[in-house]
Amino acid sequence: MPTLFLPFLLLLNFMALMPSERPPSCHEVRAAFQLQQVGRGRLVPEVPVEESDLQICEQKTPTCCTRKMEESYQTAVRGKLAHNIQALNFEFKFMIVAHTHAFQETFTYLIDMATNNTLSLFEGKYRAMAQDVHEPVRELFTDLSLNIMGADMSLEDAFARFFDALFPLVYNHLINPGVVSLSEEYLDCLRLTRQDINPFGNTSNEMVTQLSKSLWASRMMKRALNMAEQVINSTEHAGLTRECTRALVRMQYCPHCQGLTLIRPCVGYCHNVMRGCLASLASLDAPWRDFINLLEHLADQMSGSHDLEQSLLGIRDVVNQSIQYAESQGPHLSKMVEKVCGELQESPVKVLPEVKLIKEEKVEVPQVEKLHSLGHMRSEFIKYMKPSRMFYTTLAERLCDGDLAVRDGSTCWNGEDVVESYTNLVVSSNFKDQVNNPEVKVRGSNIIINQVINKLRLFIQMGSEKRIKAERWRITEGSGGGGRTEGEEASGDCDDEDGCQGSGDNLDIGTKKRTDDSMVNKTMNVPILHNPSATKTPPKQRNSSSSANRLYGCSAIIVAALLIMCQFISQLCSAAATF
């Protein structure tokens, strides 16, 4: 009977000698290597190896990693982090690009609407000039459009060219409608003398000041949108340092070397690694906050009294008032023009009847809401931008949230082993605090990010220096502005020789205004030309002549004073001798 149990006992003994677990294998590591598209599966060994030349992952036991795998891991973590940052930026970037296009379309729409609105004034009320005024009006609004786009286009020069072109039309069709046509030479004389004889008064001054503020805010908003897009693009391609790449591999893939393909890093560990890697991006926090504040200020300036829609549509009324002023001064202007340019020659063949003004018809202006209200876009844009104040300082936290890391309380990877919690110091996102980061050595700032920061600060400085703080502040941009305030312009240091004389559309607030009497006195010294084709005295020569006259007058006064003093001294001497 015992012999019957002998084979059974031998079988139990044999089974006891057999190992209880399967032999070690790297099958799961290879599957993860291929599933996450890190590299080719043949790079992963079949079984853990005892010896390896690993540079990043510490080898404590037989490992499933090789040096070639570490190189693939480094490439993978760089691409994965860039992809995650782009995913976080996607909604933000899409919103900025969409608003950039929307603002551009609205600006174009407003310019076209204001152009047609101004042209309708001539087609409805001043039909005699309607055909000839098309080109000057379109040139004016083209200049305004270029100003919004950021071109170095002075508003002063743009409106000066417009009123120079408008004066001959008003003079010919409204002030002297009995002349069929004027010679090109006479028209040139009218254009050249327009700023001297001030035919349109000063109605346009306030309008241009208001418009300059509206255009400045709109132009800065457009630049701000482009700047925001540049910042986002630069942060996506900033690049990672060698220390950051090695830390990312150690956090995400070194557990695989021990066969731990499902373990995730501790959240504190992840924060340290990400904050060290993104230290340069976190340095954008302060200038980015200032940038958002500037955007809010620009949005406020674009609304209310500085609304671009109101300013552009108001050009029509200002042009109408300027023409009406010129008409009211018709006889006086005719005398002044004849003294400078000569007498008008009436046509012996055909005389046009007097132009009868047509009652202006109320032109219905299309509503801006048909495209999209500029004010609505401003509010929507700021609503999206406000939450982005902390975009760069919270970037590391958002990257670690979700599936990348696990909160303390569950087993997690701390860079060396599986633990219950991460015990090292967790530093803040501040760039200066990275010196204490136990996971990533931050040796210096990123050159690309530094360039972005400098651009942001320069833009913020430019916007802050020209903020519209009060109605008296004069915002100017371009070659004709000079960035002066009203106080500077009215300082008294500017005279006729400096080219600051008043004009029909004088665009510099505070410039000395000349009365009609002073203009008459000035023109009295100019030779009268009875023939339009005769030689005319250019305005610059008249300015020089006026300056010489003033210099001669001052010299005469000084000589007279010296003679009086000499006579007085002589009388004193005679009295003293008598005494």
Side-chain angles (χ1 to χ4, degrees):
M1 188 68 181
T3 57
L4 294 176
F5 288 99
L6 182 61
F8 181 70
L9 293 174
L10 292 175
L11 179 61
L12 290 176
N13 187 31
F14 177 76
M15 292 178 63
L17 294 177
M18 291 180 63
S20 59
E21 298 181 357
R22 293 180 301 172
S25 171
C26 296
H27 174 73
E28 293 182 358
V29 178
R30 173 177 291 180
F33 197 81
Q34 292 178 313
L35 184 63
Q36 298 180 18
Q37 299 180 348
V38 177
R40 297 180 180 180
R42 60 182 179 83
L43 296 178
V44 184
E46 293 288 342
V47 295
V49 294
E50 293 290 342
E51 297 181 1
S52 178
D53 56 349
L54 299 182
Q55 299 294 317
I56 301 175
C57 301
E58 296 182 3
Q59 181 183 355
K60 296 181 179 179
T61 57
T63 178
C64 288
C65 292
T66 63
R67 179 71 177 275
K68 289 291 186 181
M69 291 174 63
E70 281 188 337
E71 294 176 357
S72 298
Y73 283 145
Q74 292 184 67
T75 303
V77 294
R78 284 194 292 265
K80 189 174 183 179
L81 182 59
H83 174 77
N84 291 339
I85 293 177
Q86 289 177 358
L88 292 176
N89 286 341
F90 176 78
E91 182 179 358
F92 186 35
K93 183 177 180 179
F94 177 81
M95 181 269 300
I96 291 177
V97 173
H99 277 80
T100 300
H101 292 309
F103 271 108
Q104 179 63 51
E105 290 178 359
T106 304
F107 290 149
T108 303
Y109 176 79
L110 289 176
I111 290 292
D112 292 342
M113 184 174 64
T115 303
N116 295 331
N117 186 44
T118 304
L119 288 174
S120 68
L121 169 68
F122 296 93
E123 294 171 355
K125 188 175 182 181
Y126 305 108
R127 293 181 181 177
M129 297 185 291
Q131 183 176 359
D132 296 329
V133 84
H134 266 255
E135 184 176 353
V137 169
R138 294 195 180 278
E139 286 182 357
L140 171 63
F141 285 97
T142 298
D143 291 341
L144 298 182
S145 177
L146 293 174
N147 185 281
I148 296 177
M149 297 300 106
D152 188 15
M153 181 64 62
S154 169
L155 291 184
E156 287 82 354
D157 294 342
F159 277 93
R161 287 191 294 270
F162 170 73
F163 281 106
D164 286 345
L166 181 63
F167 179 49
L169 300 178
V170 172
Y171 190 78
N172 189 12
H173 295 287
L174 298 181
I175 298 177
N176 289 280
V179 179
V180 176
S181 62
L182 299 176
S183 66
E184 287 296 329
E185 192 172 9
Y186 204 94
L187 294 175
D188 289 339
C189 182
L190 290 174
R191 282 188 285 267
L192 291 173
T193 57
R194 194 273 311 171
Q195 297 188 34
D196 293 322
I197 64 177
N198 193 23
F200 298 113
N202 299 310
T203 309
S204 61
N205 289 351
E206 183 179 353
M207 179 270 295
V208 174
T209 301
Q210 190 71 27
L211 184 60
S212 66
K213 296 175 182 179
S214 300
L215 290 180
W216 175 83
S218 301
R219 183 169 61 254
M220 288 295 292
M221 178 61 77
K222 184 179 184 301
R223 291 180 180 177
L225 290 169
N226 293 332
M227 176 62 66
E229 186 176 355
Q230 291 177 21
V231 171
I232 294 176
N233 290 336
S234 299
T235 56
E236 291 180 353
H237 304 91
L240 303 178
T241 63
R242 179 175 178 272
E243 289 77 9
C244 169
T245 303
R246 293 169 64 89
L248 289 172
V249 171
R250 194 177 298 111
M251 180 180 72
Q252 294 181 256
Y253 290 113
C254 283
H256 292 202
C257 299
Q258 302 180 25
L260 306 173
T261 58
L262 300 179
I263 198 71
R264 291 185 294 169
C266 306
V267 65
Y269 175 47
C270 181
H271 285 167
N272 275 343
V273 172
M274 289 301 180
R275 286 170 181 170
C277 286
L278 305 177
S280 295
L281 292 184
S283 61
L284 276 166
D285 179 58
W288 183 256
R289 288 172 183 264
D290 293 338
F291 178 72
I292 299 299
N293 291 336
L294 178 60
L295 287 182
E296 294 182 12
H297 172 77
L298 293 175
D300 292 339
Q301 293 300 329
M302 291 176 67
S303 60
S305 60
H306 306 309
D307 197 310
L308 181 62
E309 302 165 25
Q310 298 177 8
S311 299
L312 289 175
L313 294 178
I315 294 177
R316 169 196 170 101
D317 294 333
V318 172
V319 172
N320 185 33
Q321 294 172 16
S322 299
I323 295 175
Q324 290 176 348
Y325 178 85
E327 286 186 279
S328 66
Q329 301 293 319
H332 178 65
L333 291 176
S334 295
K335 293 179 181 180
M336 296 175 62
V337 169
E338 289 179 2
K339 291 180 182 296
V340 178
C341 300
E343 295 181 357
L344 285 172
Q345 299 293 329
E346 296 186 1
S347 173
V349 179
K350 181 180 179 181
V351 178
L352 292 178
E354 183 178 355
V355 177
K356 295 182 179 180
L357 297 183
I358 303 173
K359 185 177 180 181
E360 183 178 3
E361 300 176 358
K362 186 66 176 178
V363 179
E364 183 178 354
V365 180
Q367 296 296 321
V368 181
E369 287 77 5
K370 290 182 180 180
L371 181 61
H372 278 304
S373 172
L374 192 60
H376 177 71
M377 282 193 296
R378 288 191 298 262
S379 60
E380 287 294 318
F381 178 68
I382 295 302
K383 184 180 73 174
Y384 277 110
M385 292 298 290
K386 281 185 176 180
S388 72
R389 291 179 186 274
M390 303 177 64
F391 184 81
Y392 291 104
T393 191
T394 60
L395 191 57
E397 287 82 350
R398 286 181 290 159
L399 288 171
C400 290
D401 288 343
D403 297 334
L404 182 58
V406 294
R407 298 287 175 181
D408 292 339
S410 303
T411 55
C412 54
W413 176 257
N414 69 351
E416 297 179 354
D417 205 348
V418 178
V419 295
E420 292 292 334
S421 64
Y422 182 71
T423 57
N424 287 341
L425 172 69
V426 179
V427 299
S428 70
S429 59
N430 192 295
F431 185 85
K432 295 180 179 179
D433 292 343
Q434 302 311 310
V435 67
N436 299 318
N437 195 320
E439 308 299 341
V440 183
K441 292 182 180 180
V442 180
R443 303 184 184 276
S445 56
N446 187 284
I447 297 178
I448 297 178
I449 300 302
N450 286 343
Q451 293 175 349
V452 173
I453 292 175
N454 291 336
K455 287 182 179 180
L456 268 179
R457 288 175 176 169
L458 182 62
F459 182 82
I460 294 168
Q461 180 182 2
M462 180 175 59
S464 300
E465 288 177 350
K466 292 190 177 182
R467 282 191 177 189
I468 307 171
K469 297 181 180 179
E471 288 299 328
R472 68 176 184 84
W473 189 256
R474 177 75 168 94
I475 298 297
T476 54
E477 188 86 9
S479 59
R484 298 173 297 187
T485 64
E486 287 185 12
E488 292 173 337
E489 292 175 340
S491 62
D493 296 334
C494 183
D495 55 21
D496 292 348
E497 293 180 1
D498 294 328
C500 302
Q501 62 270 19
S503 62
D505 60 317
N506 185 9
L507 308 180
D508 288 323
I509 303 297
T511 300
K512 293 183 295 184
K513 301 177 181 179
R514 294 178 298 178
T515 62
D516 293 340
D517 293 337
S518 64
M519 289 184 289
V520 172
N521 293 334
K522 182 174 181 179
T523 55
M524 290 298 291
N525 295 324
V526 182
I528 299 177
L529 304 180
H530 298 282
N531 190 342
S533 62
T535 305
K536 307 177 186 62
T537 305
K540 292 184 178 180
Q541 293 184 13
R542 295 197 300 275
N543 289 340
S544 300
S545 176
S546 178
S547 301
N549 291 336
R550 289 198 300 272
L551 181 59
Y552 177 79
C554 293
S555 301
I557 293 173
I558 294 173
V559 172
L562 290 175
L563 290 175
I564 294 173
M565 290 176 63
C566 290
Q567 185 177 3
F568 179 71
I569 293 172
S570 177
Q571 291 177 358
L572 287 178
C573 292
S574 300
T578 305
F579 180 77

